[in-house]
Amino acid sequence: MMERISSWRMKFFLWVGLPVIAVMGLAFAAPDVGPAWRAKSGAGTPGTFTAVNEECSRRSCTWHGDFVPADGGAVRKNVILYDDPAGLTTGGSAAAHDTGAGKGVFSTTGGSTWLLVTGFTVGGALAAVGWVVVIVRTIMGRRRADEEEAVIDRLARTPVQS
């Protein structure tokens, strides 16, 4: 009984879980790896983030607001502030860098967003590679079984010589 349960769970993970992890990691996190690492190194367009509203879930809160570049470039409205500093309140401002992340800007105080985004991307890439390996092994296993069956059929038709 336990073999059957673990077998179907493993098959479900290999055929459904790995592709889902791969797509999530590569589609959602990978585009922000570069911007997160640029922010970690202090690169990007400096400016000021002004907090407009805070959106909270069970485990964390995220500030949304407007980013005004110091050089007078285009204002980005309704962006997220990654690695927000403690004590930020509605209407408050924080120094930030725009490094090209799709949904937000990064606080100059630093944080661990770069590590989180990198981890999700690596996990997605590993899941994609694992899924490809599962597919290739399955195809190769089926071919091997077909070849073995053909050899057995051929041997079964060969007359025995005395």
Side-chain angles (χ1 to χ4, degrees), residues 53-73:
N53 69 309
E54 186 177 30
E55 190 176 288
C56 294
S57 63
R58 290 182 188 174
R59 297 183 180 162
S60 65
C61 293
T62 303
W63 281 103
H64 295 262
D66 303 326
F67 175 78
V68 179
D71 64 5

mmCIF file of all heavy atoms in Angstrom, residues 53-73:
data_model
loop_
_atom_site.group_PDB
_atom_site.id
_atom_site.type_symbol
_atom_site.label_atom_id
_atom_site.label_comp_id
_atom_site.label_asym_id
_atom_site.label_seq_id
_atom_site.Cartn_x
_atom_site.Cartn_y
_atom_site.Cartn_z
ATOM 1 N N ASN A 53 0.263 53.610 -0.237
ATOM 2 C CA ASN A 53 -0.537 52.678 0.556
ATOM 3 C C ASN A 53 0.255 51.398 0.836
ATOM 4 O O ASN A 53 1.156 51.042 0.081
ATOM 5 C CB ASN A 53 -1.866 52.354 -0.131
ATOM 6 C CG ASN A 53 -1.688 51.536 -1.390
ATOM 7 O OD1 ASN A 53 -0.901 51.882 -2.249
ATOM 8 N ND2 ASN A 53 -2.439 50.452 -1.499
ATOM 9 N N GLU A 54 -0.118 50.763 1.923
ATOM 10 C CA GLU A 54 0.537 49.531 2.346
ATOM 11 C C GLU A 54 -0.450 48.379 2.179
ATOM 12 O O GLU A 54 -1.585 48.462 2.616
ATOM 13 C CB GLU A 54 0.979 49.642 3.807
ATOM 14 C CG GLU A 54 1.793 48.475 4.279
ATOM 15 C CD GLU A 54 2.261 48.669 5.723
ATOM 16 O OE1 GLU A 54 1.553 49.333 6.506
ATOM 17 O OE2 GLU A 54 3.323 48.133 6.050
ATOM 18 N N GLU A 55 0.031 47.324 1.532
ATOM 19 C CA GLU A 55 -0.800 46.142 1.308
ATOM 20 C C GLU A 55 -0.201 45.000 2.130
ATOM 21 O O GLU A 55 0.954 44.641 1.943
ATOM 22 C CB GLU A 55 -0.767 45.802 -0.182
ATOM 23 C CG GLU A 55 -1.750 44.769 -0.616
ATOM 24 C CD GLU A 55 -1.696 44.594 -2.121
ATOM 25 O OE1 GLU A 55 -2.148 45.499 -2.843
ATOM 26 O OE2 GLU A 55 -1.178 43.547 -2.556
ATOM 27 N N CYS A 56 -1.004 44.437 3.029
ATOM 28 C CA CYS A 56 -0.499 43.389 3.907
ATOM 29 C C CYS A 56 -1.197 42.057 3.664
ATOM 30 O O CYS A 56 -2.393 42.010 3.390
ATOM 31 C CB CYS A 56 -0.673 43.784 5.372
ATOM 32 S SG CYS A 56 0.318 45.206 5.859
ATOM 33 N N SER A 57 -0.405 41.000 3.786
ATOM 34 C CA SER A 57 -0.944 39.642 3.740
ATOM 35 C C SER A 57 -0.701 39.042 5.114
ATOM 36 O O SER A 57 -0.354 39.748 6.052
ATOM 37 C CB SER A 57 -0.258 38.829 2.643
ATOM 38 O OG SER A 57 1.117 38.701 2.913
ATOM 39 N N ARG A 58 -0.813 37.740 5.235
ATOM 40 C CA ARG A 58 -0.625 37.099 6.544
ATOM 41 C C ARG A 58 0.786 37.281 7.086
ATOM 42 O O ARG A 58 0.986 37.420 8.276
ATOM 43 C CB ARG A 58 -0.903 35.608 6.446
ATOM 44 C CG ARG A 58 -2.336 35.269 6.224
ATOM 45 C CD ARG A 58 -2.518 33.785 6.188
ATOM 46 N NE ARG A 58 -3.875 33.459 5.798
ATOM 47 C CZ ARG A 58 -4.288 32.248 5.567
ATOM 48 N NH1 ARG A 58 -3.464 31.241 5.680
ATOM 49 N NH2 ARG A 58 -5.530 32.032 5.215
ATOM 50 N N ARG A 59 1.774 37.239 6.197
ATOM 51 C CA ARG A 59 3.159 37.208 6.667
ATOM 52 C C ARG A 59 3.961 38.469 6.413
ATOM 53 O O ARG A 59 5.003 38.667 7.014
ATOM 54 C CB ARG A 59 3.886 36.035 6.018
ATOM 55 C CG ARG A 59 3.287 34.720 6.408
ATOM 56 C CD ARG A 59 4.036 33.586 5.829
ATOM 57 N NE ARG A 59 3.401 32.343 6.236
ATOM 58 C CZ ARG A 59 3.587 31.196 5.666
ATOM 59 N NH1 ARG A 59 4.413 31.099 4.661
ATOM 60 N NH2 ARG A 59 2.974 30.122 6.096
ATOM 61 N N SER A 60 3.520 39.304 5.484
ATOM 62 C CA SER A 60 4.340 40.475 5.165
ATOM 63 C C SER A 60 3.482 41.620 4.645
ATOM 64 O O SER A 60 2.322 41.432 4.280
ATOM 65 C CB SER A 60 5.395 40.112 4.118
ATOM 66 O OG SER A 60 4.753 39.772 2.902
ATOM 67 N N CYS A 61 4.096 42.775 4.610
ATOM 68 C CA CYS A 61 3.448 43.964 4.079
ATOM 69 C C CYS A 61 4.313 44.539 2.968
ATOM 70 O O CYS A 61 5.538 44.434 3.013
ATOM 71 C CB CYS A 61 3.248 45.012 5.169
ATOM 72 S SG CYS A 61 2.063 44.497 6.444
ATOM 73 N N THR A 62 3.670 45.152 1.992
ATOM 74 C CA THR A 62 4.372 45.728 0.854
ATOM 75 C C THR A 62 3.886 47.151 0.640
ATOM 76 O O THR A 62 2.679 47.407 0.614
ATOM 77 C CB THR A 62 4.082 44.906 -0.424
ATOM 78 O OG1 THR A 62 4.453 43.558 -0.193
ATOM 79 C CG2 THR A 62 4.841 45.446 -1.611
ATOM 80 N N TRP A 63 4.835 48.063 0.476
ATOM 81 C CA TRP A 63 4.496 49.447 0.211
ATOM 82 C C TRP A 63 4.380 49.681 -1.285
ATOM 83 O O TRP A 63 5.223 49.270 -2.070
ATOM 84 C CB TRP A 63 5.553 50.389 0.791
ATOM 85 C CG TRP A 63 5.388 50.587 2.263
ATOM 86 C CD1 TRP A 63 6.121 50.032 3.259
ATOM 87 C CD2 TRP A 63 4.410 51.408 2.897
ATOM 88 N NE1 TRP A 63 5.655 50.447 4.481
ATOM 89 C CE2 TRP A 63 4.602 51.295 4.284
ATOM 90 C CE3 TRP A 63 3.389 52.225 2.433
ATOM 91 C CZ2 TRP A 63 3.826 51.972 5.204
ATOM 92 C CZ3 TRP A 63 2.598 52.909 3.352
ATOM 93 C CH2 TRP A 63 2.820 52.770 4.723
ATOM 94 N N HIS A 64 3.306 50.382 -1.668
ATOM 95 C CA HIS A 64 3.094 50.835 -3.044
ATOM 96 C C HIS A 64 3.153 52.354 -3.023
ATOM 97 O O HIS A 64 2.712 52.985 -2.073
ATOM 98 C CB HIS A 64 1.725 50.399 -3.574
ATOM 99 C CG HIS A 64 1.577 48.924 -3.697
ATOM 100 N ND1 HIS A 64 1.761 48.265 -4.878
ATOM 101 C CD2 HIS A 64 1.276 47.967 -2.779
ATOM 102 C CE1 HIS A 64 1.580 46.971 -4.698
ATOM 103 N NE2 HIS A 64 1.274 46.766 -3.426
ATOM 104 N N GLY A 65 3.704 52.894 -4.090
ATOM 105 C CA GLY A 65 3.784 54.350 -4.139
ATOM 106 C C GLY A 65 4.386 54.826 -5.443
ATOM 107 O O GLY A 65 4.385 54.118 -6.447
ATOM 108 N N ASP A 66 4.917 56.049 -5.404
ATOM 109 C CA ASP A 66 5.463 56.681 -6.595
ATOM 110 C C ASP A 66 6.966 56.880 -6.449
ATOM 111 O O ASP A 66 7.454 57.227 -5.370
ATOM 112 C CB ASP A 66 4.774 58.030 -6.827
ATOM 113 C CG ASP A 66 3.264 57.900 -6.938
ATOM 114 O OD1 ASP A 66 2.810 56.860 -7.466
ATOM 115 O OD2 ASP A 66 2.553 58.816 -6.497
ATOM 116 N N PHE A 67 7.676 56.686 -7.556
ATOM 117 C CA PHE A 67 9.125 56.878 -7.572
ATOM 118 C C PHE A 67 9.444 58.056 -8.478
ATOM 119 O O PHE A 67 9.049 58.088 -9.648
ATOM 120 C CB PHE A 67 9.833 55.622 -8.090
ATOM 121 C CG PHE A 67 11.312 55.799 -8.252
ATOM 122 C CD1 PHE A 67 12.157 55.756 -7.149
ATOM 123 C CD2 PHE A 67 11.870 56.026 -9.498
ATOM 124 C CE1 PHE A 67 13.521 55.922 -7.293
ATOM 125 C CE2 PHE A 67 13.234 56.193 -9.663
ATOM 126 C CZ PHE A 67 14.067 56.145 -8.551
ATOM 127 N N VAL A 68 10.154 59.038 -7.925
ATOM 128 C CA VAL A 68 10.566 60.213 -8.682
ATOM 129 C C VAL A 68 12.084 60.175 -8.799
ATOM 130 O O VAL A 68 12.794 60.248 -7.783
ATOM 131 C CB VAL A 68 10.118 61.517 -7.983
ATOM 132 C CG1 VAL A 68 10.577 62.733 -8.765
ATOM 133 C CG2 VAL A 68 8.615 61.522 -7.767
ATOM 134 N N PRO A 69 12.615 60.052 -10.023
ATOM 135 C CA PRO A 69 14.064 60.016 -10.207
ATOM 136 C C PRO A 69 14.707 61.346 -9.826
ATOM 137 O O PRO A 69 14.128 62.411 -10.042
ATOM 138 C CB PRO A 69 14.249 59.747 -11.704
ATOM 139 C CG PRO A 69 12.922 59.290 -12.205
ATOM 140 C CD PRO A 69 11.904 59.860 -11.274
ATOM 141 N N ALA A 70 15.908 61.279 -9.284
ATOM 142 C CA ALA A 70 16.623 62.489 -8.873
ATOM 143 C C ALA A 70 17.002 63.351 -10.075
ATOM 144 O O ALA A 70 17.098 64.576 -9.959
ATOM 145 C CB ALA A 70 17.874 62.113 -8.088
ATOM 146 N N ASP A 71 17.183 62.720 -11.233
ATOM 147 C CA ASP A 71 17.601 63.470 -12.424
ATOM 148 C C ASP A 71 16.425 64.086 -13.183
ATOM 149 O O ASP A 71 16.596 64.643 -14.269
ATOM 150 C CB ASP A 71 18.422 62.591 -13.353
ATOM 151 C CG ASP A 71 17.634 61.409 -13.930
ATOM 152 O OD1 ASP A 71 16.415 61.313 -13.680
ATOM 153 O OD2 ASP A 71 18.247 60.580 -14.629
ATOM 154 N N GLY A 72 15.217 63.972 -12.640
ATOM 155 C CA GLY A 72 14.054 64.577 -13.262
ATOM 156 C C GLY A 72 13.432 63.751 -14.376
ATOM 157 O O GLY A 72 12.658 64.273 -15.162
ATOM 158 N N GLY A 73 13.752 62.473 -14.461
ATOM 159 C CA GLY A 73 13.175 61.598 -15.492
ATOM 160 C C GLY A 73 11.706 61.317 -15.219
ATOM 161 O O GLY A 73 11.070 61.941 -14.368
#
